[in-house]
């Protein structure tokens, strides 16, 4: 039986890249061979080498053609000078979910190969993270905290870390938690509602002030 015909607009290189990324996110880069990528793609190992020459160039393509695009989609619209902090935060969350919806492999790959110490994409990815925008976002949070607009207990430099953890970790570990609770839904609407609810209420200055009042009353009673 011959191979199924490819559509006229089939992009062999893009297909190989997509298959490689899916395997990297599932097994880890170190545990994925060129032969496995070729077999999953329905081609020979020689074809993988034809398009990417070396394993290093394949990893460069993953970062430059996929991860860098994801970073840009999340951060390019952020206007840290004029944006209201809660709106900026909600926009980052929404775009991060947009990206992971288009790239469902991203959460697992992020944990395996970027966050994890020794991850094989860490240094490559770091060069493409828009650090100036991340820092400017933290400065926006700091200004709003100082003005009383946001919860005074916030640590501005950790806000984006919190967003990243809330969006990425549940998606990366969804299969584990679905085994624990098979009836729970990890669909985007559920996760996004949860993340936005936590962030908007946790970051807002009003709930923090309201929560502080009972604590102050309790302290007066014990003194």
């Amino acid at each position: 039986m011959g191979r199924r015909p490819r559509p006229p607009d089939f992009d062999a290189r893009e297909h190989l890249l997509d298959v490689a990324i899916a395997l990297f996110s599932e097994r880890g880069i170190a545990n994925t061979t060129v032969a496995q990528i070729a077999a999953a793609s329905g081609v020979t190992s020689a074809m993988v080498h034809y398009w990417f020459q070396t394993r290093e160039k394949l990893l460069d393509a993953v970062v430059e053609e996929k991860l860098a695009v994801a970073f840009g989609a999340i951060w390019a619209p952020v206007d840290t000078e004029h944006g209201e902090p809660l709106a900026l935060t909600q926009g980052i969350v929404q775009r991060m979910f947009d990206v992971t919806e288009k790239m469902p492999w991203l959460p697992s790959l992020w944990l395996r190969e970027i966050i994890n110490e020794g991850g094989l994409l860490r240094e490559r990815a770091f060069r493409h993270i828009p650090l100036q925008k991340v820092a400017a976002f933290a400065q926006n949070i700091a200004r709003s905290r100082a003005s009383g607009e946001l919860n005074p207990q916030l640590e501005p430099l950790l806000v984006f870390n919190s967003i990243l953890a809330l969006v990425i970790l549940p998606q990366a570990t969804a299969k584990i938690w679905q085994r624990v609770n098979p009836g729970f839904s990890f669909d985007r609407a559920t996760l996004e509602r949860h993340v936005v609810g936590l962030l908007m209420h946790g970051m807002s200055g009003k709930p923090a002030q309201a929560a502080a009042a009972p604590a102050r009353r309790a302290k007066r009673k014990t003194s």
Side-chain angles (χ1 to χ4, degrees):
M1 182 181 293
R3 293 176 182 171
R4 287 181 293 180
R6 305 292 193 185
D9 60 348
F10 179 76
D11 187 329
R13 184 182 182 280
E14 185 72 10
H15 175 65
L16 282 171
L17 188 57
D18 288 340
V19 170
I21 291 171
L23 291 176
F24 291 161
S25 67
E26 180 183 340
R27 305 175 182 182
I29 293 173
N31 296 321
T32 303
T33 66
V34 169
Q36 289 169 339
I37 295 170
S41 303
V43 301
T44 64
S45 295
M47 187 61 70
V48 179
H49 288 294
Y50 171 78
W51 286 111
F52 297 103
Q53 288 83 54
T54 66
R55 187 181 183 84
E56 294 302 304
K57 288 185 178 180
L58 173 58
L59 299 186
D60 287 341
V62 170
V63 174
E64 294 167 9
E65 299 176 31
K66 299 295 183 177
L67 293 181
V69 171
F71 299 158
I74 293 167
W75 284 102
V78 177
D79 181 358
T80 55
E81 290 300 318
H82 305 100
E84 187 273 328
L86 294 182
L88 286 177
T89 300
Q90 194 160 355
I92 291 171
V93 169
Q94 180 182 339
R95 290 189 297 276
M96 200 173 288
F97 274 111
D98 288 343
V99 165
T100 56
E101 190 169 51
K102 293 176 183 176
M103 303 176 176
W105 45 263
L106 180 57
S108 179
L109 190 71
W110 184 270
L111 260 64
R112 282 181 181 274
E113 304 296 348
I114 300 174
I115 295 296
N116 186 39
E117 190 71 35
L120 295 180
L121 297 180
R122 172 179 274 195
E123 294 306 317
R124 285 177 171 86
F126 190 78
R127 292 194 291 268
H128 291 273
I129 295 173
L131 296 177
Q132 289 183 335
K133 283 221 168 189
V134 176
F137 173 66
Q139 290 166 6
N140 182 298
I141 298 295
R143 290 193 299 270
S144 300
R145 184 190 65 174
S147 69
E149 184 180 352
L150 294 182
N151 185 339
Q153 298 181 39
L154 286 177
E155 177 50 60
L157 289 174
L158 292 179
V159 171
F160 179 63
N161 282 8
S162 298
I163 297 171
L164 198 58
L166 287 169
V167 175
I168 296 295
L169 188 59
Q171 295 185 73
T173 58
K175 291 181 181 179
I176 296 173
W177 293 113
Q178 283 173 333
R179 287 173 60 185
V180 175
N181 189 348
F184 185 75
S185 172
F186 274 82
D187 61 276
R188 172 177 174 170
T190 300
L191 289 174
E192 190 167 356
R193 183 180 66 249
H194 172 74
V195 172
V196 170
L198 275 177
L199 289 169
M200 294 304 100
H201 288 288
M203 291 176 66
S204 174
K206 293 181 181 178
Q209 293 165 3
R216 286 194 298 269
R217 288 197 294 271
K219 186 176 181 179
R220 285 198 295 268
K221 288 180 181 178
T222 59
S223 59

